[in-house]
């Protein structure tokens, strides 16, 4: 679990460990990112810098605004890792009106790692995330309606971190 405004940094650290096996401490990454101008301990990480730690360690990334669930699904199917910016309040404590539509809440910028998408027999879609902002955030399941509402508040921003292809011996 993150200890400050470090959600984007901790998400990148987790993806970096997953892809390259590199383990870093939150404090050293926060200091490196702050020294590089990518992180402010009082504000967090600007969206444009959500992939800088990964790139610093040689992970190829692509960033998109106005992404959609199909883009997430395609990236996951390829074995890539996906980070998204969203409104934490709308995934931590989603609220809906009488018709079941999500209600907007005060925006709380946040970054999570999307690890999967699941569809049940009734066609309901759920997203599986790793969320460093909550103690029970590993493999947390979020309804797609609530996820989309929260993601829309951050312009449907996503980062795809490319998983290195397996090496082949000739």
């Amino acid at each position: 679990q993150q200890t400050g405004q470090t959600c984007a940094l901790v998400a990148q650290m987790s993806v970096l460990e997953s892809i390259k096996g590199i383990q870093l401490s939150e404090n050293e990454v926060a200091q490196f990112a702050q020294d590089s101008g990518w992180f402010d301990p009082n504000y967090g990480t600007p969206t444009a810098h959500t992939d800088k730690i990964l790139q610093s360690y040689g992970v190829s990334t692509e960033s998109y605004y106005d992404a959609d669930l199909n883009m997430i699904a395609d990236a996951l199917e390829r074995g890539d890792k996906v980070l998204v910016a969203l409104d934490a309040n709308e995934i931590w404590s989603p609220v809906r009106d009488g018709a079941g539509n999500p209600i907007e809440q005060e925006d709380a910028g946040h970054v999570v790692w999307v690890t999967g998408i699941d569809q049940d027999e009734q066609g309901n879609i759920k997203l599986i995330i790793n969320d460093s902002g909550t103690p029970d955030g590993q493999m947390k399941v979020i309804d797609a309606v609530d996820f989309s509402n929260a993601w829309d508040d951050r312009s449907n921003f996503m980062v795809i971190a490319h998983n290195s292809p397996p090496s082949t011996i000739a």
Side-chain angles (χ1 to χ4, degrees):
Q1 185 175 356
Q2 68 195 56
T3 58
Q5 300 293 322
T6 56
C7 55
L9 302 178
V10 172
Q12 290 179 84
M13 290 167 46
S14 298
V15 167
L16 184 62
E17 183 177 355
S18 173
I19 292 174
K20 294 206 168 208
I22 298 170
Q23 291 184 330
L24 303 168
S25 80
E26 183 178 354
N27 288 339
E28 69 183 334
V29 170
Q31 188 62 57
F32 174 63
Q34 186 175 352
D35 292 347
S36 300
W38 306 328
F39 171 71
D40 178 332
N42 298 310
Y43 169 76
T45 304
T47 305
H49 299 309
T50 304
D51 59 356
K52 298 300 187 198
I53 298 299
L54 291 165
Q55 291 177 351
S56 294
Y57 284 89
V59 176
S60 171
T61 65
E62 296 175 61
S63 299
Y64 299 94
Y65 286 92
D66 301 318
D68 59 40
L69 291 176
N70 289 328
M71 293 172 74
I72 292 176
D74 291 346
L76 293 173
E77 190 172 305
R78 289 190 307 269
D80 292 332
K81 311 301 180 192
V82 176
L83 302 178
V84 298
L86 43 67
D87 179 348
N89 287 330
E90 293 175 3
I91 62 165
W92 291 343
S93 301
V95 179
R96 300 212 184 161
D97 65 19
N101 300 311
I103 295 175
E104 284 300 310
Q105 300 182 49
E106 182 178 344
D107 193 29
H110 192 46
V111 173
V112 299
W113 174 10
V114 179
T115 59
I117 298 177
D118 190 31
Q119 187 170 7
D120 65 20
E121 294 170 1
Q122 291 76 36
N124 300 310
I125 298 173
K126 307 282 186 186
L127 284 95
I128 300 124
I129 64 171
N130 284 347
D131 180 355
S132 63
T134 62
D136 63 343
Q138 188 171 11
M139 303 220 22
K140 187 172 186 168
V141 178
I142 307 293
D143 188 272
V145 170
D146 296 319
F147 178 89
S148 294
N149 184 49
W151 194 26
D152 185 58
D153 288 358
R154 292 295 181 183
S155 303
N156 289 49
F157 179 80
M158 71 182 281
V159 170
I160 297 172
H162 297 286
N163 219 345
S164 300
S167 59
T168 56
I169 300 174

